[in-house]
Amino acid sequence: MSCVTSNLVVLPSSLKLFNYSTKGCNFRLPNSLSSLLANSSPPFTSWPLSSTNNNNHRITSPPGLFQCLAQKSEPQVSVHAARTTPSSEDRVTVLVIGGGGREHALCYALKRSPSCDAVFCAPGNAGISNSGDATCIPELDISDSSAVISFCHKWGVGLVVVGPEAPLVAGLSNDLVKAGIPTFGPSAEAAALEGSKNFMKSLCDKYRIPTAKYRTFTDPLAAKEYIQDQGAPIVVKADGLAAGKGVVVAMTVEEAFEAVDSMLVKSVFGSAGCRVIIEEFLEGEEASFFALVDGENAIPLESAQDHKRVGDGDTGPNTGGMGAYSPAPVLTKKLQSVVMETIILPTVKGMAAEGCKFVGVLYAGLMIEKKSGLPKLIEYNVRFGDPECQVLMVRLESDLAQVLLAASRGELSGVSLKWSPGSAMVVVMASKGYPGSYEKGTVIQNLEEAESVAPMVKIFHAGTAQDADGNFIAAGGRVLGVTAKGEDLEEARDKAYQAVEEVNWPGGFYRRDIGWRALPQKQLSATKN
């Protein structure tokens, strides 16, 4: 997919439905959303790429580009009669879309849901299938909405849970909802909160949601001039979806220049990097905040914190996540209330006001700023985080199927969640070389022994397959999520690393300091020995 060039408007080029080269454009931009992008500061930038100062252009949306049909003409609720609370008598068969560690964790939690009759996962992976947490359907093409709808009708699926961001951005939820199938996951239009960082920033501007100062560029020279003026450290982000790798925290101006060139000149992220956001560097501690949203109401999940950098001590390049723990001490109850009041609820209300009601999980990547102690929004994801989902799902005690059904029906008001006490930690085992090039097909052994090494240990498969001899082999960058619960974070950490050390995988590696910000350093040093 290439960047969309226009003298009038640039829409998020990473979103399939915005691409003029696809099978026509069947959506119209609501006037309110046009106004949002037109009047944001800095404005939604326009082409051509050779412009020397793209940030001086404002969008002038002609009527007729896209419309939030999923909310305007097809409300994102199920065909069942509305209920004030989810009925415990409902029995439901669930289809989970995706095949990574996040989806394995969702299948695990849904399988334990008292009201869940069966769990399918498409495409799933070898670990999900072998664990018995779901029946995997690898032959189901999840990019083909009609095929997914036919499967749901054939097998009586009463709830679809969309795990990854790509099917959401591509509009799978739109099609499922239109077919009358209850779906947990936002429409393509609402998924622009993740699909375009500039869209998210524009929403923050309009609804006064605290975030880092930024500018948006399509011209590399203009971007470099801005970087030179601002100085380093500074953050360079690809606008679109880049599998968690489109963010560079540049500690020098030269590093920032290299990031701009890689995205805007070398196109290392393809259309996702046709536009870049240059953002101020915020000093503080990162945390992940999740809320379930039904279009108008939001309820928070337990706090979690992940480790994005590949190396111990949070060093090296960013990854999709090398580990996580829950709860996160940095997110105190007071701060969680601040996040809900200043970030989550204004976003939910803002999206509804723009004609794009959000239904699904809002995953706010936060920075608890050192100088103010207050949270700022770094970015939004429109699905459960990976690996945060793993630690949340092992701690959740509520009936997940009923909770997600309530969200899809617009019935979250009054719903509360029950969590197990104590803590949980996940340590990600990745293929050597990740997040760069890595070898596939390396054999992994002793997984059963590792999972039984201590009580409350669960291994979630993110990127595994099986060879002809039935051995598990690595089929991705992040491969396993070794997860454990404990009475406190120290116990959860000890169990997780005990299990990790039992895994026999010479082709893999892992960080040895997950949770280091929340644990005394003397305890961590013992783990490394």
Side-chain angles (χ1 to χ4, degrees):
M1 187 185 303
S2 61
C3 291
V4 181
T5 302
S6 167
N7 292 326
L8 293 174
V9 59
V10 172
L11 292 172
S13 56
S14 59
L15 308 190
K16 184 179 75 174
L17 68 111
F18 299 150
N19 189 348
Y20 289 108
S21 65
T22 59
K23 300 177 181 178
C25 192
N26 301 318
F27 300 85
R28 294 180 181 275
L29 185 65
N31 291 334
S32 57
L33 197 52
S34 296
S35 175
L36 166 64
L37 297 181
N39 297 313
S40 63
S41 178
F44 212 72
T45 60
S46 57
W47 252 259
L49 287 175
S50 59
S51 170
T52 58
N53 189 3
N54 289 296
N55 285 281
N56 288 331
H57 293 282
R58 289 185 178 271
I59 185 171
T60 53
S61 297
L65 288 178
F66 74 91
Q67 183 181 25
C68 248
L69 292 180
Q71 285 74 32
K72 291 262 180 170
S73 59
E74 296 287 345
Q76 190 149 343
V77 296
S78 79
V79 294
H80 298 289
R83 283 180 284 271
T84 56
T85 57
S87 171
S88 61
E89 297 177 358
D90 285 344
R91 307 295 304 173
V92 63
T93 295
V94 183
L95 170 63
V96 176
I97 300 294
R102 166 185 48 234
E103 288 74 39
H104 191 176
L106 290 169
C107 290
Y108 168 77
L110 288 164
K111 186 75 172 180
R112 293 184 298 136
S113 295
S115 67
C116 194
D117 280 335
V119 183
F120 294 105
C121 187
N125 65 44
I128 296 173
S129 179
N130 279 268
S131 69
D133 291 323
T135 300
C136 292
I137 316 295
E139 66 275 11
L140 181 57
D141 183 0
I142 62 174
S143 67
D144 183 351
S145 295
S146 61
V148 177
I149 291 167
S150 295
F151 179 89
C152 292
H153 287 158
K154 179 179 180 180
W155 293 98
V157 171
L159 173 66
V160 176
V161 180
V162 185
E165 62 273 22
L168 293 169
V169 169
L172 179 59
S173 289
N174 300 59
D175 296 333
L176 290 168
V177 169
K178 188 174 182 179
I181 299 169
T183 303
F184 182 78
S187 66
E189 299 77 31
L193 279 173
E194 178 170 359
S196 170
K197 294 178 179 64
N198 195 61
F199 174 88
M200 182 273 287
K201 288 285 196 175
S202 298
L203 191 84
C204 289
D205 285 342
K206 182 170 182 179
Y207 292 96
R208 299 182 180 181
I209 298 165
T211 188
K213 182 180 71 174
Y214 75 104
R215 289 279 299 276
T216 304
F217 297 89
T218 55
D219 173 52
L221 292 178
K224 290 178 181 180
E225 287 179 8
Y226 181 73
I227 291 168
Q228 189 71 58
D229 181 62
Q230 296 297 308
I234 199 165
V235 182
V236 182
K237 297 181 177 181
D239 179 58
L241 300 178
K245 301 174 186 177
V247 177
V248 175
V249 180
M251 302 310 293
T252 66
V253 168
E254 289 72 22
E255 286 180 32
F257 284 179
E258 290 176 8
V260 168
D261 284 338
S262 70
M263 296 177 195
L264 291 182
V265 179
K266 299 177 183 178
S267 300
V268 295
F269 297 119
S271 61
C274 288
R275 184 189 297 108
V276 298
I277 286 80
I278 311 295
E279 193 174 82
E280 72 169 315
F281 174 81
L282 297 178
E283 188 177 1
E285 189 168 350
E286 291 189 44
S288 303
F289 190 93
F290 299 86
L292 303 181
V293 183
D294 68 0
E296 295 183 359
N297 305 292
I299 57 174
L301 302 182
E302 271 287 278
S303 63
Q305 188 167 17
D306 75 334
H307 294 263
K308 290 293 186 189
R309 299 297 188 108
V310 70
D312 288 356
D314 292 332
T315 58
N318 276 329
T319 72
M322 293 300 295
Y325 54 93
S326 174
V330 66
L331 275 175
T332 63
K333 293 299 181 183
K334 181 179 180 180
L335 272 181
Q336 291 180 52
S337 297
V338 172
V339 173
M340 285 296 292
E341 292 299 322
T342 65
I343 296 174
I344 300 297
L345 292 178
T347 299
V348 174
K349 293 175 182 177
M351 291 295 285
E354 301 300 331
C356 285
K357 284 187 177 182
F358 186 96
V359 175
V361 62
L362 265 181
Y363 164 14
L366 304 173
M367 178 66 76
I368 311 303
E369 206 173 9
K370 184 177 181 179
K371 62 182 180 181
S372 68
L374 295 174
K376 283 189 175 180
L377 179 64
I378 300 174
E379 64 181 6
Y380 266 132
N381 294 317
V382 297
R383 33 67 185 186
F384 286 99
D386 184 346
E388 296 98 330
C389 187
Q390 287 84 314
V391 290
L392 291 173
M393 291 303 104
V394 298
R395 292 192 59 214
L396 182 68
E397 294 186 347
S398 299
D399 187 320
L400 181 63
Q402 287 302 314
V403 172
L404 300 188
L405 268 176
S408 73
R409 295 169 174 164
E411 299 172 358
L412 275 181
S413 180
V415 172
S416 60
L417 300 176
K418 184 179 180 181
W419 301 90
S420 65
S423 299
M425 179 180 287
V426 57
V427 178
V428 170
M429 302 188 74
S431 296
K432 287 182 178 178
Y434 175 82
S437 60
Y438 53 85
E439 182 183 358
K440 294 184 179 181
T442 54
V443 176
I444 307 166
Q445 296 178 319
N446 281 14
L447 291 181
E448 288 187 13
E449 293 84 350
E451 202 164 44
S452 61
V453 74
M456 296 183 289
V457 172
K458 174 69 177 178
I459 297 179
F460 295 109
H461 290 243
T464 62
Q466 284 185 298
D467 63 17
D469 298 321
N471 297 311
F472 281 109
I473 58 174
R478 292 185 300 155
V479 177
L480 300 171
V482 182
T483 310
K485 286 200 301 181
E487 291 186 2
D488 53 28
L489 188 56
E490 182 182 359
E491 183 179 339
R493 187 275 316 273
D494 290 345
K495 288 181 178 179
Y497 277 106
Q498 188 180 356
V500 164
E501 290 164 7
E502 196 70 26
V503 176
N504 181 8
W505 182 26
F509 78 99
Y510 57 93
R511 279 184 56 167
R512 298 176 179 271
D513 66 342
I514 301 302
W516 71 271
R517 291 181 181 274
L519 287 165
Q521 295 302 299
K522 62 181 181 180
Q523 296 175 351
L524 288 170
S525 62
T527 303
K528 296 181 181 181
N529 294 331

